[in-house]
Amino acid sequence: MTQTNPVSSDHTPLSRTPLYEVSLELNARMTEFSGWEMPVQFSGISREHQAVRTTAGMFDISHMGKFTLTGNQVLEQIQRLVPSDLSRLQPGQAQYTVLLNPQGGIIDDLIFYYQGLNAAGQERWVVIVNAGTTQKDKTWLLEHLDLTAIEFQDLSKDKALIAVQGPQAVAQLQEFVSEDLSGIKAFGHLEATVLGHPGFLARTGYTGEDGFEVMVDPAVAVALWQSLLLAGVTPCGLGARDTLRLEAAMCLYGQDIDDTTTPLEAGLGWLVHLDSKGEFIGRSVLEAQKQAGVQRRLVGIQMQGRNIARHGYPVLHEGAVVGEVTSGTQSPLLGYAIALAYVPTALSKPEQILDVEIRGKQYPAIVVKKPFYRRSP
C-alpha cells in the first residue's frame, strides 16, 4: 500500500525533505511548516537548545528556497531590489538583506552569496530564501530580472540543506569536509568537498551561534547527517530553532516582519545603505521614514513574572493597547520569558515599563536591549 503525504490546511499534500525518513528513524515529532512536514523536536526542545548553545546541533533546513543567478548584469539588477549595497561584496562573501515592495514593506528576508565569475566571465550568485515565501520570491525575482541576461535556476527541490550550529560545530563538520574551514569568516562561503562530493558551505545560521549551512545533493545530505550523528552532534527540530533565533533576536518572516513592516521599523536599519547606492524599490519610503522618524519599532521585552507573551498578544501602556507581541517564548538559556513586539517609538527605549494582556489579564514587562543573548567572541 502506498503511503500518501499528509495534507496542509489548504488540502495540498505536504512536501518532504530528503532527510524525512532519517528523522522518522530518530523518532522525531513531525509538524506542518510552510507546506512541509518537518521535525519540530527529537529529544526535546530544551535539550536541543542547550546542545546548540554548549556543543553542537544540526537542523534539516532543506525546506528553504535555493536559487542561483548567473549572468553579466546580475549585480546591477539585484541592486535595484534590495536596500543593501551588494557591490561591496567580494567573491566568497554574503549579505543578509530584504526584498522590498514599493511601499518599503518586506517581501522576504534572504541572503545573497556572491561566488565571483565563472570561466565565461559571468557573475555567479546563490540566493537562500524562506520556505514559506519561496514561490512568492521566485515570482518577484522573475518579474524584475532581465532573463535574457540572467540564467535563473531553482534548486529548492534538487538540493538538501543542513545547518550545523554551536561552539563545536565547525570542528565537528571539518571531519567530513576536505577543505580547511577555519579561515572562513562569518558570512563567508565556499564550494567544498563534503564526503567526497561537491557542496556549497556558508558560515551563516539562524541560532546566534557559530556554524555552517551545507548545501549538497540529497544522498550526500543523508550520509552527512548520519556521520554527524555518529560523531555526537545533536539532531534538532524547528522548536529549538525558534527558541534559539528568538534569544538572538532574529526576525521570523510572517511574524516579526512582513509586507507591511519596513526594515527601519523592524530594527534592520543596518541593512539600509541610502548613502552608498542608487535607486531601489521602496527607497523613497525609507528616505521619508529616515527623515521623519518611524512611528513604531520592534523591541525586545522581558516579562517580569512567569507568564509567557505569545504571538498576537496585546501590549498595553497605562491601560491602553499600544502594540502587539510578534514572537515570544520561555528562554531555555536565560530562564525567563522573552518576546519581540511592535510598540510606539516613544515607548521603545530600554527600561520602559509595559504590560502584556494574557487571557484577559495584564502582566508587567520591561523593554530590554536586543539581542537577549550574544555568544562570547
Side-chain angles (χ1 to χ4, degrees), residues 294-297 299 315 322-323 342-349 354:
V294 294
Q295 299 298 303
R296 60 173 182 164
R297 290 187 185 279
V299 300
V315 177
V322 295
Y342 280 100
V343 301
T345 300
L347 301 175
S348 66
K349 291 184 173 58
L354 299 168

Side-chain angles (χ1 to χ4, degrees), residues 52 164-167 169-170 184 186 203-204 207-212 375:
V52 173
V164 190
Q165 302 277 291
V170 178
I184 306 298
R203 204 159 193 166
T204 47
T207 62
E209 296 296 337
D210 192 11
F212 275 84
R375 68 183 174 94

